[in-house]
């Protein structure tokens, strides 16, 4: 029993190396809960864990979740026992299932079901008085990040019901198409006379729901495209479908056998299915991008200077009276109101525009402005929502409620800019319109010309032409190609929201890049021209910076992780200037300086007021940034750097990444970025934070590095994992390959359907031939799409 | 061949039954999550594990 190293104690899944008893935090926690007081080999381990857990429960960061208001808003049933949590961090699917063991481990939970596909946990509490906060604390301890879903704003619910409707529509269409074909096949095989008439009518009865129900998405799409005066594939589809159907019905009533119910129905089935599959692929990417870091989604400590003045006592969760006779309580950030005082701890994000009440604080606003270096603010300064607090705890007063705060404002502008953008047309949309007009003109021309010769033949041949030639390429070829591209992208972690990216990306020459967080990591690193520093000083500096969240501290701890840190007494953090403390009886001070001219960050170490050494820091580019940019330049893309950072640091990093001086635009506000981008006819913008949002909305294709805050990654056209800019070239290759498939599908269907259409005009295409030709064409297309080798696309 | 006039409604009725069953299942959210159940099956029963 001594070798517990290779499999996880809880879930028994194999682990790479001797990493401990458990594969993930989730397993650890559940195991320790299930084995309380168990005298096994890991008793010690579980003891330690339990201790940790108890501490977490004591800290009770989710305290606000037991607030009456909170529960009323977030519960999914009246008795307030049902909740849904969106979880981030579900990596080992099997282990995350241990979440379903919550009902065994906690008496409060009566049921917990996980949906891995959507990363949502359905939670049912035993009774309304059970603590939700305890469950949330535990789940967070297991290593998941939580968003408690608000039933009113649950995007997933809408999606689920849409999906259900789509699946039902496909099933019903499949059933109808299959049964229609039973009748038509027997007719092709020789059923004639009265029975054949009966079969015709049976087909019509089965076809009516196809026409009225299955075709609905196309009619709706067509109406939308007429309203917005924007051509979409739905329009020609709807025209062909209804024209073909009504001609067939008219033929049936007149007693002619020229009816095409079977091929129309089976074709509709294929299209619905392929559309559904590709929309599922897009959804998968969206789920993975669900925004978590929204600052409204955290709890903050509200300070009530006079408790008597406050709202109902039920609203107060945990009142503690401190020395200054202030009472504090934890609430959800979204419930902060104008004028309220609240306190944030280090690393929290400002939920709304506020005035600083504490003496000073240090703030990282790289997401808002693109500045790579934190800034110091003093009492009375106004800070924008979205900034991240770096130094110690600080108090603020709300000056604008969250709904009108800077971040929300920016988001609103962004949304309206996005609406404009949805009007961009793909090539296939445009081509499909052309093709429809072309085919309709030929059909009409032929009918008019042939009318004097044989009026009946004139109509039936034009009809055959419309049915055989029109919709196939438009409706099937495009979604099939997209599906293939989406699949390849999803497999590599690239989430594509709008497939028009595949058509556009390769031909766009102007590429704009944000700097901080996009091409660079946003983390500082030691500059290469630093003096040698002996180990003793290193350990002093590590000791001084041991607890700080300042980027300099993070950098030192990362770079010198092999060094021991000295024991520091009397450690003090001075926002904006650095840290000080005593080591072995001597006073040390590590002073941070930001040269506003050059934008350079440095730290100077003093011993007893005497300067010892200065080290310089620079923002580090991502490992593959330079390579990626070089490759993009090689294929003729015009690259430009657009950043909110200082001129000097923008220049330094820009030239390091290979940008020429005239290609670097610095100190850009979100509005200026948009103005910078817009003159180009078509453009790609690659960014990360809300400071890029306007420019992204104004670009033909927007790419976001997923790490952002506030900005929903899935509102960008493409999202990439933040540390892998090289996926841009992969995306380019995939979209190139997808476009090739698209063109091949189009070429095939135009040639094939052109030939079939000609046959139809010459009178060789009767319903039997159409029933054979159309699925054949679709099958060949599916074959082309999936046999095309995308393997050449390197990872 | 007049038996067909009975057989056709019967067969379509049967098919409608199946489609109805499918729609019922879909309305009951049976197809909402297609991946979790596959994992759930692989999960060990902890009660059995404890006894060893």
């Amino acid at each position: 029993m001594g070798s517990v190293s290779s499999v996880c104690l809880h879930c028994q899944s194999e682990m790479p190396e001797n990493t401990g008893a458990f594969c993930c935090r989730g397993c650890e926690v559940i195991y320790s809960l299930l084995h309380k007081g168990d005298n096994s080999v890991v008793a010690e381990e579980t003891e330690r864990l339990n201790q940790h857990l108890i501490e977490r429960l004591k800290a009770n960061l989710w305290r606000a979740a037991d607030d009456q208001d909170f529960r009323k808003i977030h519960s999914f049933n009246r008795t307030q026992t049902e909740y849904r949590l969106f979880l981030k961090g579900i990596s080992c699917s099997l282990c995350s299932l241990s979440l379903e063991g919550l009902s065994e481990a906690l008496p409060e939970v009566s049921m917990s079901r996980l949906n891995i596909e959507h990363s949502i946990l359905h939670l049912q509490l035993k009774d309304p008085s059970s603590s939700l906060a305890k469950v949330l604390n535990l789940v967070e301890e297991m290593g998941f990040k939580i968003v408690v879903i608000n039933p009113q704003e649950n995007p997933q619910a809408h999606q689920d019901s849409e999906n259900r409707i789509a699946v039902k529509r496909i099933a019903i269409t499949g059933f109808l198409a299959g049964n229609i074909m039973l009748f038509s096949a027997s007719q092709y095989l020789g059923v004639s006379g009265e029975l054949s008439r009966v079969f015709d009518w049976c087909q019509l009865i089965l076809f009516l729901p196809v026409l009225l129900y299955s075709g609905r998405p196309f009619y709706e799409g067509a109406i939308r495209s007429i309203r917005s005066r924007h051509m979409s594939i739905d329009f020609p589809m709807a025209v062909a479908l209804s024209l073909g159907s009504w001609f067939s019905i008219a033929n049936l009533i007149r007693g002619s056998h020229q009816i095409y119910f079977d091929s129309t129905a089976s074709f509709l089935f294929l299209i619905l299915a392929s559309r559904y599959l590709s929309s599922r692929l897009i959804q998968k990417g969206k789920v993975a991008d669900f925004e978590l870091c929204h600052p409204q989604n955290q709890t903050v400590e509200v300070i009530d200077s006079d408790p008597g003045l406050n709202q109902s006592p039920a609203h107060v969760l945990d009142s503690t009276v401190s020395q200054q006779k202030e009472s504090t309580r934890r609430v959800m950030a979204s419930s902060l109101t104008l004028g309220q005082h609240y306190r944030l701890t280090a690393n929290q994000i400002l939920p709304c525009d506020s005035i600083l009440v504490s003496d000073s604080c240090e703030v990282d606003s790289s997401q808002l402005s693109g500045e790579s270096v934190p800034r110091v603010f003093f009492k009375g300064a106004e800070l924008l929502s979205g900034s991240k607090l770096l130094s110690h705890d600080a108090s603020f007063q709300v000056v604008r409620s969250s709904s009108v705060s800077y971040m929300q404002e920016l988001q609103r502008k962004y949304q309206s800019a996005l609406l404009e953008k949805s009007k961009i047309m793909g090539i296939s949309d445009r081509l499909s319109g052309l093709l429809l007009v072309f085919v309709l003109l030929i059909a009409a021309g032929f009918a008019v010309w042939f009318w004097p010769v044989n009026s009946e033949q004139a109509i039936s041949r034009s009809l055959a032409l419309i049915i055989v030639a029109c919709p196939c390429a438009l409706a099937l070829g495009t979604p099939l190609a997209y599906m293939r591209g989406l699949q390849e992208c999803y497999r590599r972690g690239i989430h594509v929201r709008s497939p028009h990216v595949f058509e556009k990306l390769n031909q766009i020459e102007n590429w704009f890049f944000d700097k901080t967080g996009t091409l660079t990591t946003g983390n500082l690193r030691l500059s290469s021209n630093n003096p040698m520093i002996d180990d003793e000083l290193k350990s002093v500096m590590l000791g001084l910076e041991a607890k700080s969240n300042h980027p300099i501290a993070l950098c030192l701890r990362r770079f010198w992780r092999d060094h021991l840190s000295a024991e520091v007494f009397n450690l003090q953090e001075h926002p904006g200037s650095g840290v000080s403390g005593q080591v072995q009886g001597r006073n040390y001070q590590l002073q941070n300086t930001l040269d506003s001219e050059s934008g350079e960050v440095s730290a100077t170490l003093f011993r007893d007021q005497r300067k010892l050494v200065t080290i310089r820091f620079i923002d580090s580019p991502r490992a593959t940034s330079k390579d990626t940019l070089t490759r993009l330049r090689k294929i003729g893309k015009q690259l430009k750097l657009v950043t909110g950072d200082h001129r000097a640091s923008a220049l330094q990093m820009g030239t390091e990444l290979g940008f020429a001086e005239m290609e670097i635009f610095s100190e850009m506000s979100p509005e200026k970025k948009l103005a910078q981008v817009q003159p180009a006819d078509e453009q790609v913008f690659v960014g990360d934070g809300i400071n890029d949002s306007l420019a992204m909305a104004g670009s033909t294709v927007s790419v976001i590095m997923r790490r952002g805050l506030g900005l929903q990654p899935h509102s960008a056209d493409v999202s990439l994992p933040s540390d892998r800019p090289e996926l841009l070239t992969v995306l380019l290759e995939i979209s190139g390959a997808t476009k090739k498939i698209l063109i091949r599908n189009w070429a095939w269907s135009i040639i094939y359907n052109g030939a079939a259409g000609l046959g139809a005009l010459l009178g060789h295409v009767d319903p039997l031939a159409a029933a054979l030709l159309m699925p054949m064409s679709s099958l060949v297309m599916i074959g082309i799409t999936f046999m095309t080798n995308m393997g050449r696309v390197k990872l | 061949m007049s038996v067909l006039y009975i057989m056709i409604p019967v067969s379509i009725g049967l098919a409608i039954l199946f489609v109805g069953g499918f729609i019922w299942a879909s309305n009951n959210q049976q197809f909402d999550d297609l991946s979790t159940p596959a994992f759930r099956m692989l999960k060990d029963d902890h009660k059995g594990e404890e006894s060893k």
Side-chain angles (χ1 to χ4, degrees):
Chain A
M1 227 10 228
S3 61
V4 282
S5 53
S6 57
V7 289
C8 170
L9 247 170
H10 177 68
C11 71
Q12 313 272 302
S13 64
E14 298 224 353
M15 295 187 297
E17 271 303 303
N18 198 342
T19 44
F22 299 98
C23 66
C24 65
R25 189 90 187 104
C27 283
E28 269 186 287
V29 172
I30 284 289
Y31 190 89
S32 72
L33 277 174
L34 287 172
H35 295 77
K36 253 185 213 158
D38 197 353
N39 245 347
S40 69
V41 266
V42 287
E44 208 177 297
E45 184 99 332
T46 53
E47 186 53 42
R48 185 182 57 74
L49 258 170
N50 272 326
Q51 208 52 48
H52 201 272
L53 193 60
I54 290 164
E55 269 165 33
R56 161 81 74 159
L57 292 180
K58 241 189 235 158
N60 197 4
L61 290 174
W62 275 100
R63 191 167 335 174
D66 278 339
D67 185 0
Q68 276 305 315
D69 291 346
F70 181 91
R71 292 185 63 150
K72 205 188 283 167
I73 295 169
H74 291 90
S75 70
F76 273 71
N77 61 355
R78 279 228 192 105
T79 54
Q80 301 184 4
T81 51
E82 246 187 76
Y83 298 91
R84 294 195 188 157
L85 316 179
F86 178 82
L87 301 179
K88 194 159 189 176
I90 293 189
S91 50
C92 58
S93 320
L94 197 52
C95 293
S96 58
L97 273 180
S98 50
L99 283 167
E100 297 199 339
L102 278 176
S103 52
E104 295 167 45
L106 283 180
E108 283 87 352
V109 182
S110 66
M111 186 210 69
S112 67
R113 294 289 266 184
L114 180 71
N115 181 328
I116 288 179
E117 207 167 311
H118 298 159
S119 305
I120 287 176
L121 184 72
H122 295 237
L123 203 65
Q124 192 155 26
L125 301 179
K126 276 253 164 59
D127 51 73
S129 61
S130 309
S131 164
L132 176 63
K134 188 176 171 191
V135 183
L136 297 182
N137 283 320
L138 183 66
V139 172
E140 207 161 61
E141 174 68 14
M142 290 168 78
F144 300 106
K145 281 192 170 176
I146 308 173
V147 175
V148 183
I149 294 174
N150 181 343
Q152 262 83 53
E153 302 167 358
N154 183 5
Q156 200 59 52
H158 179 65
Q159 194 116 80
D160 278 346
S161 71
E162 296 250 296
N163 281 343
R164 246 172 263 147
I165 292 172
V167 168
K168 272 183 266 181
R169 187 163 271 134
I170 294 172
I172 290 172
T173 314
F175 148 73
L176 293 166
N179 280 279
I180 291 173
M181 268 192 272
L182 279 184
F183 292 109
S184 64
S186 51
Q187 283 175 325
Y188 299 143
L189 292 175
V191 173
S192 59
E194 189 207 358
L195 204 54
S196 175
R197 280 299 288 165
V198 173
F199 278 13
D200 277 349
W201 284 97
C202 286
Q203 285 187 54
L204 173 65
I205 293 168
L206 288 170
F207 184 74
L208 284 179
V210 173
L211 183 64
L212 301 176
Y213 171 74
S214 310
R216 251 184 85 177
F218 300 102
Y219 307 138
E220 284 166 1
I223 290 171
R224 257 200 313 276
S225 76
I226 291 171
R227 277 213 190 118
S228 62
R229 285 154 205 253
H230 164 63
M231 191 53 150
S232 78
I233 268 179
D234 285 339
F235 183 68
M237 275 298 298
V239 170
L241 179 65
S242 42
L243 267 185
S245 309
W246 293 112
F247 273 126
S248 292
I249 291 170
N251 270 347
L252 174 66
I253 293 169
R254 288 191 310 130
S256 151
H257 280 303
Q258 297 278 349
I259 56 179
Y260 299 87
F261 297 141
D262 53 345
S263 33
T264 316
S266 58
F267 183 59
L268 213 58
F269 169 70
L270 278 177
I271 295 171
L272 286 174
S274 69
R275 276 192 175 188
Y276 174 71
L277 289 177
S278 57
S279 84
R280 278 309 279 253
L281 277 171
I282 295 178
Q283 284 173 26
K284 262 189 180 171
K286 273 193 195 172
V287 169
D289 284 354
F290 195 96
E291 183 52 50
L292 274 171
C293 319
H294 203 280
Q296 308 302 322
N297 238 320
Q298 59 182 344
T299 62
V300 296
E301 208 164 80
V302 171
I303 308 164
D304 304 313
S305 44
D306 186 0
L309 272 177
N310 228 284
Q311 302 104 314
S312 65
H315 200 76
V316 183
L317 299 159
D318 185 42
S319 309
T320 46
V321 180
S322 66
Q323 292 109 332
Q324 293 101 11
K325 295 233 172 354
E326 290 174 343
S327 85
T328 61
R329 60 205 162 89
R330 278 202 164 267
V331 298
M332 293 302 288
S334 49
S335 66
L336 283 175
T337 52
L338 202 67
Q340 251 179 341
H341 286 251
Y342 66 98
R343 184 176 298 144
L344 293 181
T345 51
N347 268 335
Q348 277 195 301
I349 291 161
L350 254 77
C352 34
D353 300 355
S354 314
I355 284 180
L356 181 63
V357 177
S358 304
D359 289 338
S360 65
C361 72
E362 196 153 20
V363 161
D364 170 11
S365 46
S366 61
Q367 288 281 329
L368 281 178
S369 63
E371 282 171 81
S372 53
V373 184
R375 281 171 61 186
V376 183
F377 291 91
F378 296 98
K379 190 166 184 164
E382 188 182 320
L383 277 82
L384 298 176
S385 58
S387 319
K388 186 163 138 194
L389 183 64
L390 284 177
S391 47
H392 49 70
D393 296 10
S395 312
F396 301 89
Q397 183 180 20
V398 182
V399 286
R400 266 186 290 280
S401 63
S402 58
S403 57
V404 290
S405 277
Y406 179 67
M407 236 174 89
Q408 292 293 337
E409 247 347 274
L410 210 54
Q411 205 127 60
R412 250 193 298 278
K413 279 190 204 164
Y414 176 58
Q415 293 301 339
S416 62
L418 270 187
L419 281 180
E420 284 297 301
K421 188 180 166 179
S422 63
K423 287 179 187 149
I424 293 173
M425 268 205 282
I427 313 165
S428 45
D429 289 335
R430 226 171 292 164
L431 260 178
S432 66
L434 271 179
L435 198 67
L436 175 81
V437 172
F438 184 66
V439 168
L440 282 183
L441 277 180
I442 293 182
F446 177 83
V448 169
W449 172 75
F450 208 67
W451 190 267
V453 186
N454 183 339
S455 59
E456 190 172 321
Q457 281 291 311
I459 293 292
S460 74
R461 285 187 196 182
S462 324
L463 166 64
L465 172 71
I466 291 171
I467 287 181
V468 172
C470 199
C472 190
L474 325 173
L476 200 59
T478 317
L480 273 178
Y482 284 168
M483 200 165 96
R484 191 69 210 288
L486 287 169
Q487 222 175 17
E488 293 296 323
C489 284
Y490 185 75
R491 202 180 288 165
R492 291 166 168 80
I494 307 170
H495 301 157
V496 177
R497 188 184 65 111
S498 27
H500 81 258
V501 167
F502 295 133
E503 294 180 15
K504 291 272 175 198
L505 199 62
N506 281 284
Q507 72 201 33
I508 300 179
E509 280 193 353
N510 292 297
W511 288 55
F512 295 87
F513 287 88
D514 172 51
K515 182 176 78 76
T516 316
T518 304
L519 291 174
T520 71
T521 57
N523 301 327
L524 295 179
R525 84 183 139 98
L526 292 177
S527 167
S528 52
N529 51 11
N530 274 323
M532 285 291 290
I533 303 163
D534 60 54
D535 286 359
E536 194 200 324
L537 289 185
K538 279 183 187 171
S539 76
V540 168
M541 284 191 250
L542 280 173
L544 286 169
E545 295 282 27
K547 294 208 174 88
S548 169
N549 287 309
H550 194 280
I552 287 184
L554 298 178
C555 164
L556 291 181
R557 289 211 294 269
R558 204 174 50 245
F559 269 78
W560 297 340
R561 89 190 91 167
D562 302 333
H563 295 264
L564 291 172
S565 70
E567 204 174 349
V568 180
F569 298 96
N570 208 4
L571 181 66
Q572 277 184 325
E573 199 167 345
H574 318 283
S577 60
V579 282
S580 65
Q582 289 173 327
V583 181
Q584 293 171 343
R586 310 192 70 167
N587 286 324
Y588 283 92
Q589 190 185 4
L590 189 63
Q591 206 167 57
N592 308 338
T593 38
L594 163 63
D595 188 339
S596 54
E597 281 282 296
S598 66
E600 188 184 66
V601 190
S602 57
T604 314
L605 186 67
F606 294 89
R607 179 163 56 204
D608 300 333
Q609 313 293 330
R610 237 190 60 231
K611 188 170 159 187
L612 289 182
V613 67
T614 299
I615 32 182
R616 271 173 258 279
F617 300 88
I618 43 175
D619 190 6
S620 43
R622 296 187 189 284
T624 49
S625 288
K626 197 170 177 187
D627 253 18
T628 309
L629 294 176
T630 315
R631 271 201 235 172
L632 288 176
R633 282 194 196 96
K634 214 175 272 170
I635 51 176
K637 307 289 182 204
Q638 304 289 325
L639 310 185
K640 289 189 183 72
L641 190 67
V642 190
T643 175
D645 214 346
H646 297 285
R647 182 78 190 149
S649 38
L651 269 180
Q652 190 189 355
M653 181 54 62
T655 33
E656 187 177 335
L657 288 168
F659 287 97
E661 201 178 323
M662 50 176 287
E663 292 172 338
I664 301 171
F665 302 91
S666 55
E667 288 159 52
M668 294 260 151
S669 64
E671 286 80 7
K672 274 193 194 159
K673 279 189 182 181
L674 177 63
Q676 190 62 46
V677 164
Q678 258 170 350
D681 210 11
E682 286 187 325
Q683 62 287 87
V684 179
F685 194 95
V686 188
D688 76 316
I690 35 179
N691 59 331
D692 305 317
S693 57
L694 292 183
M696 283 168 71
S699 317
T700 322
V701 173
S702 56
V703 181
I704 187 167
M705 311 298 281
R706 290 196 283 275
R707 74 146 199 177
L709 130 89
L711 180 65
Q712 308 240 343
H714 60 247
S715 50
D717 295 320
V718 181
S719 80
L720 304 179
S722 64
D723 50 339
R724 307 196 45 200
E726 78 273 16
L727 285 177
L728 273 177
T729 47
V730 175
L731 175 68
L732 261 176
E733 283 181 55
I734 292 178
S735 60
T738 307
K739 198 171 175 187
K740 222 176 268 168
I741 293 180
L742 194 67
I743 291 170
R744 223 175 286 175
N745 279 354
W746 274 79
W748 160 256
S749 63
I750 286 175
I751 294 168
Y752 186 98
N753 292 311
L758 195 68
L761 290 187
L762 296 176
H764 298 304
V765 179
D766 52 4
L768 172 59
L772 288 176
L773 284 175
M774 289 197 33
M776 272 273 287
S777 154
S778 310
L779 283 179
V780 172
M781 194 109 78
I782 293 171
I784 294 178
T785 307
F786 286 93
M787 306 247 275
T788 305
N789 184 16
M790 277 201 169
R792 281 175 296 114
V793 180
K794 296 175 293 293
L795 231 174
Chain B
M1 287 297 261
S2 52
V3 71
L4 274 179
Y5 296 111
I6 300 170
M7 293 306 288
I8 290 170
V10 168
S11 73
I12 290 183
L14 257 178
I16 287 175
L17 267 186
F18 287 124
V19 172
F22 181 87
I23 290 173
W24 173 84
S26 169
N27 284 343
N28 277 281
Q29 315 183 356
Q30 294 290 322
F31 303 108
D32 282 10
D33 181 7
L34 299 176
S35 41
T36 322
F39 287 112
R40 204 169 275 143
M41 180 186 76
L42 297 171
K43 203 184 141 204
D44 281 334
D45 202 346
H46 291 296
K47 275 161 198 135
E49 188 211 343
E50 261 174 24
S51 62
K52 82 178 170 185

